[in-house]
Amino acid sequence: MLSDVMEDYLKTIYQIQARSGPPVSTSAIATALDKTPATVTSMLGTLEERGLITREKYKGAELTREGETVALEVLRHHRLLEAYLAERLDYSWSEVHEEADALEHHISEEFERRVAAALDDPAVDPHGDPIPSADLAPLEDDDATPLSTREVGDTVVVSRVSDRDREELEYLAEAGITPGTTLGIVDVAPFGMVTVETDDGGEQSLPESIAEAIYVVDADTDGTDRDAGSDVQEAGNA
Amino acid sequence: MLSDVMEDYLKTIYQIQARSGPPVSTSAIATALDKTPATVTSMLGTLEERGLITREKYKGAELTREGETVALEVLRHHRLLEAYLAERLDYSWSEVHEEADALEHHISEEFERRVAAALDDPAVDPHGDPIPSADLAPLEDDDATPLSTREVGDTVVVSRVSDRDREELEYLAEAGITPGTTLGIVDVAPFGMVTVETDDGGEQSLPESIAEAIYVVDADTDGTDRDAGSDVQEAGNA
DNA sequence: TTATTACTTTAGACGAGTCTAAAAGTGGAT
DNA sequence: ATCCACTTTTAGACTCGTCTAAAGTAATAA
Ligand SMILES: [Mn+2]
Ligand SMILES: [Mn+2]
Ligand SMILES: [Mn+2]
Ligand SMILES: [Mn+2]
């Protein structure tokens, strides 16, 4: 059996690896988990012994297939919980992350199945992140890029939004920007300020930090299979 | 902040104290939590320092008001979770206990509120045990006694059923005996075997171990306020 | 009253996960 | 080619919750 702590390390390594690719540095993990680098080095040793990661000294870590499976399991729990809380317990999308973090290590497989069944096997969580399937098959990486990398004139659809910052999420819910929203980029000002036009014709100016947290795809690349779970995306963003 | 482990000790002390009164012996706690007596002695020292229990050496422990409040909080979480799982996720009453045990330390106060609201503030859990109120006021002790202490001719109503043994609970669900069921005692045989007649006229013979786990009140003392939450009692006992 | 027995506490050890401080390695700039 | 700044690892310590083994206490039986 793996401890909660080990599960959190594996989840974190997975997420950094998904963004920046392996190897994942000690300090990146330390920052993400708010631990000292020395602590991380020690735990990486344990995870390596258990066959969950491979490691090159002074370079960084990489998940093994087994480690990846554990990470996907935890991520499935996390995202199913987020979806359930938003859909069935009236949580807003800015509140679900912390609650899911606290519960993800403690639910049974039976609970996981029942929650998934209650929601009819949702494909994405309230932030637009894909929910790993029950068989824990690897997730394909998506082609979404931050809004901050796009240019004036682009028309894009919001694919997902980083769920790490409550205030950002509240701001975006207020602005009516959630997964599925279509945005036209009207202006890009100095310091990364992006002005967008929403479906309803309104204009919003978004600071760079927000524009970096919004992942978008081209409008014509839209609605392929990501939208299967858009009922969940729509829910509880008041 | 209290650890999960401390919460479990306090919950356990509360439950033993409710059954047998203080002081609660080291060995009783050790048995209930499946730890060694030495371990329990050590933790009792910690709980005493924190002001959660009082203690007389070689005699046993007793909860302070503060300790009792913590225990009631954990118990509220546990029983609300059991009720929610049975009512909203289709769990049977034999499955809820373990899941609630795993989750009770990890839900937020917000989650507690939302679950309570979703169920319309249930008064009892699926086993008939009272759910402490949100203000954590002490529970009055009920007057229910084990079916095994009753005599031929008595007509009684099931008040609650011990939730510790899955197989017992499955057996009872099968037999149609749940909180609220009226039973007539038809026979008491050697070795404590009790034969009862159920509402529908059927007869059941219950081994002593089962009869000890069923807490009943006199039929005429019935339906005072315990029945406020009988919708919950009825749910999910397939 | 004393001896037996059961229970409780003390003493000491250990694994998990964490930290701080110091040593070692890495990679770019001079 | 050497040095410097930064990162990583090592070394050692600490807390928490647990255990085993030994010693102490209480209650009862002889
Ligand atoms: Mn799972
Ligand atoms: Mn999310
Ligand atoms: Mn609570
Ligand atoms: Mn119960």
Side-chain angles (χ1 to χ4, degrees), chain A residues 22-75:
Chain A
V24 176
S25 75
T26 299
S27 55
I29 300 167
T31 302
L33 290 174
D34 196 25
K35 312 229 145 102
T36 65
T39 300
V40 173
T41 297
S42 159
M43 179 54 73
L44 292 181
T46 305
L47 295 174
E48 188 178 30
E49 275 172 22
R50 298 263 211 141
L52 297 161
I53 62 170
T54 54
R55 206 155 66 108
E56 249 187 301
K57 275 236 171 101
Y58 294 98
K59 289 294 172 49
E62 178 168 5
L63 294 176
T64 62
R65 187 70 238 292
E66 197 190 342
E68 185 189 14
T69 299
V70 174
L72 287 166
E73 168 81 291
V74 177
L75 229 40

Short mmCIF file of all heavy atoms in Angstrom, two decimals, chain A residues 22-75:
data_model
loop_
_atom_site.label_atom_id
_atom_site.label_comp_id
_atom_site.label_asym_id
_atom_site.label_seq_id
_atom_site.Cartn_x
_atom_site.Cartn_y
_atom_site.Cartn_z
N PRO A 22 9.76 15.16 -18.76
CA PRO A 22 10.80 14.70 -17.86
C PRO A 22 12.16 15.23 -18.33
O PRO A 22 12.27 15.61 -19.50
CB PRO A 22 10.74 13.18 -18.00
CG PRO A 22 10.09 12.92 -19.32
CD PRO A 22 9.29 14.13 -19.68
N PRO A 23 13.18 15.23 -17.47
CA PRO A 23 13.07 14.84 -16.07
C PRO A 23 12.49 15.96 -15.22
O PRO A 23 12.62 17.13 -15.57
CB PRO A 23 14.52 14.57 -15.67
CG PRO A 23 15.31 15.48 -16.54
CD PRO A 23 14.55 15.62 -17.83
N VAL A 24 11.86 15.59 -14.12
CA VAL A 24 11.27 16.56 -13.20
C VAL A 24 12.27 16.84 -12.08
O VAL A 24 12.71 15.93 -11.40
CB VAL A 24 9.95 16.01 -12.63
CG1 VAL A 24 9.38 16.97 -11.59
CG2 VAL A 24 8.95 15.75 -13.74
N SER A 25 12.60 18.11 -11.90
CA SER A 25 13.65 18.45 -10.94
C SER A 25 13.16 18.38 -9.50
O SER A 25 11.98 18.57 -9.21
CB SER A 25 14.17 19.85 -11.21
OG SER A 25 13.25 20.81 -10.78
N THR A 26 14.10 18.13 -8.64
CA THR A 26 13.85 18.11 -7.19
C THR A 26 13.18 19.41 -6.73
O THR A 26 12.20 19.40 -5.99
CB THR A 26 15.18 17.92 -6.46
OG1 THR A 26 15.74 16.67 -6.86
CG2 THR A 26 14.97 17.91 -4.95
N SER A 27 13.72 20.51 -7.19
CA SER A 27 13.21 21.79 -6.70
C SER A 27 11.79 22.07 -7.21
O SER A 27 10.99 22.68 -6.50
CB SER A 27 14.15 22.92 -7.11
OG SER A 27 14.35 22.90 -8.50
N ALA A 28 11.49 21.61 -8.42
CA ALA A 28 10.13 21.82 -8.94
C ALA A 28 9.11 21.09 -8.06
O ALA A 28 8.05 21.62 -7.74
CB ALA A 28 10.03 21.33 -10.38
N ILE A 29 9.47 19.88 -7.67
CA ILE A 29 8.58 19.11 -6.79
C ILE A 29 8.48 19.78 -5.43
O ILE A 29 7.40 19.91 -4.86
CB ILE A 29 9.10 17.66 -6.64
CG1 ILE A 29 9.17 16.97 -8.00
CG2 ILE A 29 8.23 16.88 -5.67
CD1 ILE A 29 9.96 15.67 -7.98
N ALA A 30 9.64 20.23 -4.94
CA ALA A 30 9.66 20.87 -3.62
C ALA A 30 8.77 22.10 -3.60
O ALA A 30 8.00 22.31 -2.66
CB ALA A 30 11.09 21.25 -3.25
N THR A 31 8.85 22.89 -4.64
CA THR A 31 8.01 24.10 -4.72
C THR A 31 6.54 23.72 -4.76
O THR A 31 5.72 24.27 -4.02
CB THR A 31 8.37 24.92 -5.96
OG1 THR A 31 9.76 25.27 -5.90
CG2 THR A 31 7.53 26.18 -6.05
N ALA A 32 6.22 22.77 -5.61
CA ALA A 32 4.81 22.40 -5.78
C ALA A 32 4.21 21.84 -4.50
O ALA A 32 3.04 22.09 -4.19
CB ALA A 32 4.68 21.38 -6.90
N LEU A 33 5.00 21.10 -3.75
CA LEU A 33 4.47 20.46 -2.54
C LEU A 33 4.78 21.23 -1.27
O LEU A 33 4.40 20.80 -0.18
CB LEU A 33 5.03 19.03 -2.41
CG LEU A 33 4.51 18.02 -3.43
CD1 LEU A 33 5.27 16.70 -3.29
CD2 LEU A 33 3.02 17.79 -3.23
N ASP A 34 5.47 22.35 -1.41
CA ASP A 34 5.86 23.14 -0.26
C ASP A 34 6.63 22.32 0.77
O ASP A 34 6.29 22.25 1.96
CB ASP A 34 4.62 23.78 0.38
CG ASP A 34 4.99 24.90 1.33
OD1 ASP A 34 6.08 25.48 1.15
OD2 ASP A 34 4.21 25.18 2.27
N LYS A 35 7.67 21.66 0.26
CA LYS A 35 8.59 20.93 1.14
C LYS A 35 10.00 21.38 0.78
O LYS A 35 10.22 22.01 -0.26
CB LYS A 35 8.47 19.41 0.89
CG LYS A 35 7.03 18.92 0.87
CD LYS A 35 6.83 17.71 1.74
CE LYS A 35 5.46 17.73 2.40
NZ LYS A 35 4.45 16.86 1.78
N THR A 36 10.98 21.02 1.61
CA THR A 36 12.36 21.38 1.29
C THR A 36 12.92 20.41 0.26
O THR A 36 12.49 19.25 0.18
CB THR A 36 13.25 21.36 2.54
OG1 THR A 36 13.32 20.02 3.01
CG2 THR A 36 12.72 22.27 3.62
N PRO A 37 13.90 20.86 -0.52
CA PRO A 37 14.52 19.97 -1.50
C PRO A 37 15.10 18.70 -0.84
O PRO A 37 15.02 17.62 -1.42
CB PRO A 37 15.63 20.83 -2.09
CG PRO A 37 15.15 22.24 -1.95
CD PRO A 37 14.38 22.26 -0.66
N ALA A 38 15.64 18.85 0.34
CA ALA A 38 16.20 17.68 1.03
C ALA A 38 15.13 16.63 1.27
O ALA A 38 15.35 15.43 1.10
CB ALA A 38 16.84 18.11 2.35
N THR A 39 13.97 17.09 1.67
CA THR A 39 12.85 16.18 1.90
C THR A 39 12.47 15.46 0.62
O THR A 39 12.23 14.25 0.61
CB THR A 39 11.63 16.97 2.43
OG1 THR A 39 12.00 17.61 3.64
CG2 THR A 39 10.45 16.07 2.66
N VAL A 40 12.45 16.20 -0.46
CA VAL A 40 12.07 15.61 -1.74
C VAL A 40 13.10 14.56 -2.17
O VAL A 40 12.75 13.47 -2.60
CB VAL A 40 11.91 16.69 -2.82
CG1 VAL A 40 11.69 16.07 -4.18
CG2 VAL A 40 10.75 17.61 -2.47
N THR A 41 14.37 14.89 -2.04
CA THR A 41 15.41 13.91 -2.38
C THR A 41 15.19 12.60 -1.64
O THR A 41 15.27 11.52 -2.21
CB THR A 41 16.81 14.46 -2.02
OG1 THR A 41 17.06 15.63 -2.80
CG2 THR A 41 17.89 13.43 -2.32
N SER A 42 14.89 12.74 -0.36
CA SER A 42 14.68 11.55 0.45
C SER A 42 13.50 10.73 -0.06
O SER A 42 13.58 9.51 -0.23
CB SER A 42 14.48 12.00 1.90
OG SER A 42 13.82 11.01 2.63
N MET A 43 12.40 11.38 -0.35
CA MET A 43 11.23 10.66 -0.83
C MET A 43 11.45 10.07 -2.22
O MET A 43 10.98 8.98 -2.52
CB MET A 43 10.00 11.57 -0.82
CG MET A 43 8.72 10.92 -1.32
SD MET A 43 8.30 9.38 -0.45
CE MET A 43 7.76 10.03 1.11
N LEU A 44 12.20 10.78 -3.06
CA LEU A 44 12.48 10.23 -4.38
C LEU A 44 13.24 8.91 -4.26
O LEU A 44 13.01 7.99 -5.04
CB LEU A 44 13.27 11.24 -5.23
CG LEU A 44 12.51 12.50 -5.65
CD1 LEU A 44 13.40 13.41 -6.50
CD2 LEU A 44 11.23 12.16 -6.41
N GLY A 45 14.11 8.84 -3.27
CA GLY A 45 14.81 7.57 -3.02
C GLY A 45 13.82 6.45 -2.74
O GLY A 45 13.91 5.36 -3.30
N THR A 46 12.86 6.74 -1.89
CA THR A 46 11.85 5.74 -1.55
C THR A 46 11.03 5.33 -2.77
O THR A 46 10.79 4.14 -3.00
CB THR A 46 10.89 6.32 -0.48
OG1 THR A 46 11.66 6.75 0.64
CG2 THR A 46 9.88 5.28 -0.03
N LEU A 47 10.63 6.31 -3.55
CA LEU A 47 9.79 6.02 -4.73
C LEU A 47 10.58 5.21 -5.76
O LEU A 47 10.03 4.35 -6.44
CB LEU A 47 9.28 7.32 -5.35
CG LEU A 47 8.32 8.14 -4.48
CD1 LEU A 47 7.99 9.47 -5.14
CD2 LEU A 47 7.04 7.36 -4.17
N GLU A 48 11.87 5.50 -5.83
CA GLU A 48 12.70 4.74 -6.77
C GLU A 48 12.81 3.28 -6.33
O GLU A 48 12.64 2.37 -7.15
CB GLU A 48 14.10 5.38 -6.87
CG GLU A 48 14.94 4.76 -7.96
CD GLU A 48 16.31 5.42 -8.07
OE1 GLU A 48 16.82 5.90 -7.02
OE2 GLU A 48 16.87 5.45 -9.18
N GLU A 49 13.08 3.07 -5.06
CA GLU A 49 13.16 1.70 -4.53
C GLU A 49 11.88 0.92 -4.82
O GLU A 49 11.91 -0.28 -5.07
CB GLU A 49 13.33 1.73 -3.00
CG GLU A 49 14.76 1.88 -2.55
CD GLU A 49 14.83 2.10 -1.04
OE1 GLU A 49 13.85 1.74 -0.34
OE2 GLU A 49 15.84 2.65 -0.55
N ARG A 50 10.77 1.62 -4.77
CA ARG A 50 9.48 0.96 -5.00
C ARG A 50 9.15 0.80 -6.48
O ARG A 50 8.09 0.29 -6.83
CB ARG A 50 8.37 1.81 -4.37
CG ARG A 50 8.50 1.98 -2.88
CD ARG A 50 7.63 0.97 -2.17
NE ARG A 50 7.17 1.50 -0.92
CZ ARG A 50 5.93 1.30 -0.45
NH1 ARG A 50 5.06 0.62 -1.14
NH2 ARG A 50 5.59 1.79 0.71
N GLY A 51 10.04 1.29 -7.33
CA GLY A 51 9.82 1.10 -8.76
C GLY A 51 8.80 2.04 -9.35
O GLY A 51 8.26 1.79 -10.44
N LEU A 52 8.52 3.14 -8.66
CA LEU A 52 7.50 4.06 -9.15
C LEU A 52 8.08 5.19 -10.00
O LEU A 52 7.37 5.82 -10.77
CB LEU A 52 6.73 4.64 -7.95
CG LEU A 52 5.98 3.57 -7.16
CD1 LEU A 52 5.62 4.06 -5.76
CD2 LEU A 52 4.72 3.14 -7.90
N ILE A 53 9.36 5.44 -9.81
CA ILE A 53 10.05 6.42 -10.65
C ILE A 53 11.43 5.88 -11.03
O ILE A 53 11.93 4.95 -10.39
CB ILE A 53 10.26 7.78 -9.94
CG1 ILE A 53 11.13 7.61 -8.70
CG2 ILE A 53 8.94 8.41 -9.55
CD1 ILE A 53 11.59 8.92 -8.07
N THR A 54 12.01 6.45 -12.06
CA THR A 54 13.43 6.25 -12.32
C THR A 54 14.09 7.61 -12.07
O THR A 54 13.42 8.64 -12.07
CB THR A 54 13.71 5.82 -13.77
OG1 THR A 54 13.10 6.77 -14.64
CG2 THR A 54 13.13 4.45 -14.04
N ARG A 55 15.41 7.57 -11.86
CA ARG A 55 16.04 8.78 -11.42
C ARG A 55 17.48 8.83 -11.88
O ARG A 55 18.18 7.81 -11.88
CB ARG A 55 16.02 8.79 -9.88
CG ARG A 55 16.04 10.15 -9.27
CD ARG A 55 15.44 10.10 -7.91
NE ARG A 55 16.22 9.32 -6.99
CZ ARG A 55 16.93 9.86 -5.99
NH1 ARG A 55 16.95 11.15 -5.82
NH2 ARG A 55 17.60 9.08 -5.19
N GLU A 56 17.92 10.01 -12.29
CA GLU A 56 19.33 10.22 -12.55
C GLU A 56 19.81 11.26 -11.56
O GLU A 56 19.25 12.36 -11.50
CB GLU A 56 19.53 10.73 -13.98
CG GLU A 56 20.20 9.73 -14.89
CD GLU A 56 20.49 10.40 -16.23
OE1 GLU A 56 19.54 10.87 -16.88
OE2 GLU A 56 21.68 10.45 -16.59
N LYS A 57 20.82 10.92 -10.81
CA LYS A 57 21.29 11.83 -9.77
C LYS A 57 21.60 13.20 -10.34
O LYS A 57 22.23 13.33 -11.38
CB LYS A 57 22.55 11.26 -9.11
CG LYS A 57 22.27 10.27 -8.01
CD LYS A 57 22.94 10.68 -6.68
CE LYS A 57 22.45 9.79 -5.54
NZ LYS A 57 23.42 8.74 -5.19
N TYR A 58 21.15 14.20 -9.64
CA TYR A 58 21.37 15.62 -10.00
C TYR A 58 20.61 16.04 -11.25
O TYR A 58 20.67 17.18 -11.65
CB TYR A 58 22.86 15.94 -10.13
CG TYR A 58 23.59 15.83 -8.83
CD1 TYR A 58 24.32 14.68 -8.51
CD2 TYR A 58 23.53 16.86 -7.89
CE1 TYR A 58 24.98 14.57 -7.29
CE2 TYR A 58 24.19 16.76 -6.68
CZ TYR A 58 24.91 15.61 -6.38
OH TYR A 58 25.56 15.50 -5.18
N LYS A 59 19.88 15.10 -11.87
CA LYS A 59 19.12 15.48 -13.06
C LYS A 59 17.63 15.61 -12.75
O LYS A 59 17.02 16.64 -12.95
CB LYS A 59 19.33 14.43 -14.18
CG LYS A 59 20.69 14.46 -14.79
CD LYS A 59 20.93 15.76 -15.56
CE LYS A 59 22.39 15.90 -16.02
NZ LYS A 59 22.92 14.70 -16.70
N GLY A 60 17.07 14.55 -12.21
CA GLY A 60 15.64 14.62 -11.91
C GLY A 60 14.97 13.27 -12.01
O GLY A 60 15.64 12.25 -12.23
N ALA A 61 13.67 13.26 -11.88
CA ALA A 61 12.90 12.02 -11.81
C ALA A 61 11.95 11.88 -13.00
O ALA A 61 11.58 12.87 -13.64
CB ALA A 61 12.09 11.98 -10.52
N GLU A 62 11.56 10.65 -13.24
CA GLU A 62 10.57 10.37 -14.29
C GLU A 62 9.72 9.21 -13.81
O GLU A 62 10.23 8.24 -13.24
CB GLU A 62 11.31 10.00 -15.58
CG GLU A 62 10.37 9.64 -16.72
CD GLU A 62 11.12 9.57 -18.07
OE1 GLU A 62 12.37 9.72 -18.07
OE2 GLU A 62 10.47 9.36 -19.08
N LEU A 63 8.42 9.29 -14.03
CA LEU A 63 7.53 8.21 -13.59
C LEU A 63 7.74 6.95 -14.41
O LEU A 63 7.92 7.03 -15.63
CB LEU A 63 6.06 8.64 -13.73
CG LEU A 63 5.56 9.77 -12.84
CD1 LEU A 63 4.13 10.12 -13.20
CD2 LEU A 63 5.66 9.40 -11.37
N THR A 64 7.71 5.81 -13.77
CA THR A 64 7.59 4.55 -14.50
C THR A 64 6.12 4.38 -14.90
O THR A 64 5.26 5.13 -14.46
CB THR A 64 7.99 3.35 -13.63
OG1 THR A 64 7.09 3.29 -12.52
CG2 THR A 64 9.42 3.49 -13.12
N ARG A 65 5.86 3.34 -15.71
CA ARG A 65 4.45 3.08 -16.06
C ARG A 65 3.64 2.87 -14.78
O ARG A 65 2.52 3.36 -14.64
CB ARG A 65 4.33 1.86 -16.99
CG ARG A 65 2.91 1.62 -17.54
CD ARG A 65 2.51 2.69 -18.56
NE ARG A 65 1.28 3.42 -18.20
CZ ARG A 65 0.06 2.89 -18.17
NH1 ARG A 65 -0.16 1.64 -18.50
NH2 ARG A 65 -1.00 3.61 -17.83
N GLU A 66 4.22 2.15 -13.84
CA GLU A 66 3.51 1.88 -12.59
C GLU A 66 3.23 3.18 -11.81
O GLU A 66 2.14 3.39 -11.29
CB GLU A 66 4.32 0.92 -11.72
CG GLU A 66 3.52 0.26 -10.62
CD GLU A 66 4.39 -0.50 -9.64
OE1 GLU A 66 5.56 -0.83 -9.96
OE2 GLU A 66 3.92 -0.75 -8.52
N GLY A 67 4.25 4.02 -11.76
CA GLY A 67 4.07 5.30 -11.08
C GLY A 67 3.01 6.15 -11.76
O GLY A 67 2.21 6.82 -11.11
N GLU A 68 3.02 6.11 -13.07
CA GLU A 68 2.03 6.88 -13.83
C GLU A 68 0.62 6.38 -13.53
O GLU A 68 -0.32 7.16 -13.41
CB GLU A 68 2.31 6.75 -15.34
CG GLU A 68 1.40 7.63 -16.18
CD GLU A 68 1.53 7.34 -17.68
OE1 GLU A 68 2.13 6.30 -18.05
OE2 GLU A 68 1.03 8.15 -18.47
N THR A 69 0.48 5.07 -13.40
CA THR A 69 -0.84 4.50 -13.11
C THR A 69 -1.36 5.00 -11.76
O THR A 69 -2.53 5.36 -11.62
CB THR A 69 -0.77 2.97 -13.13
OG1 THR A 69 -0.37 2.56 -14.43
CG2 THR A 69 -2.12 2.36 -12.80
N VAL A 70 -0.47 5.01 -10.79
CA VAL A 70 -0.88 5.53 -9.48
C VAL A 70 -1.31 6.99 -9.60
O VAL A 70 -2.34 7.41 -9.07
CB VAL A 70 0.25 5.40 -8.44
CG1 VAL A 70 -0.13 6.08 -7.13
CG2 VAL A 70 0.59 3.94 -8.21
N ALA A 71 -0.51 7.77 -10.32
CA ALA A 71 -0.84 9.19 -10.48
C ALA A 71 -2.19 9.37 -11.16
O ALA A 71 -3.00 10.20 -10.76
CB ALA A 71 0.25 9.88 -11.30
N LEU A 72 -2.44 8.54 -12.18
CA LEU A 72 -3.73 8.64 -12.88
C LEU A 72 -4.89 8.26 -11.98
O LEU A 72 -5.97 8.85 -12.05
CB LEU A 72 -3.71 7.75 -14.13
CG LEU A 72 -2.85 8.27 -15.29
CD1 LEU A 72 -2.63 7.17 -16.32
CD2 LEU A 72 -3.50 9.50 -15.94
N GLU A 73 -4.65 7.28 -11.14
CA GLU A 73 -5.68 6.87 -10.18
C GLU A 73 -6.03 8.02 -9.24
O GLU A 73 -7.20 8.34 -9.01
CB GLU A 73 -5.14 5.68 -9.38
CG GLU A 73 -5.93 5.30 -8.15
CD GLU A 73 -7.14 4.47 -8.48
OE1 GLU A 73 -8.07 5.03 -9.09
OE2 GLU A 73 -7.15 3.28 -8.13
N VAL A 74 -5.02 8.67 -8.71
CA VAL A 74 -5.26 9.79 -7.79
C VAL A 74 -5.95 10.94 -8.53
O VAL A 74 -6.89 11.55 -8.03
CB VAL A 74 -3.94 10.29 -7.16
CG1 VAL A 74 -4.19 11.50 -6.27
CG2 VAL A 74 -3.28 9.17 -6.38
N LEU A 75 -5.49 11.19 -9.73
CA LEU A 75 -6.09 12.26 -10.54
C LEU A 75 -7.54 11.93 -10.88
O LEU A 75 -8.40 12.82 -10.90
CB LEU A 75 -5.26 12.39 -11.82
CG LEU A 75 -4.80 13.77 -12.27
CD1 LEU A 75 -4.34 14.65 -11.12
CD2 LEU A 75 -3.68 13.61 -13.29
#
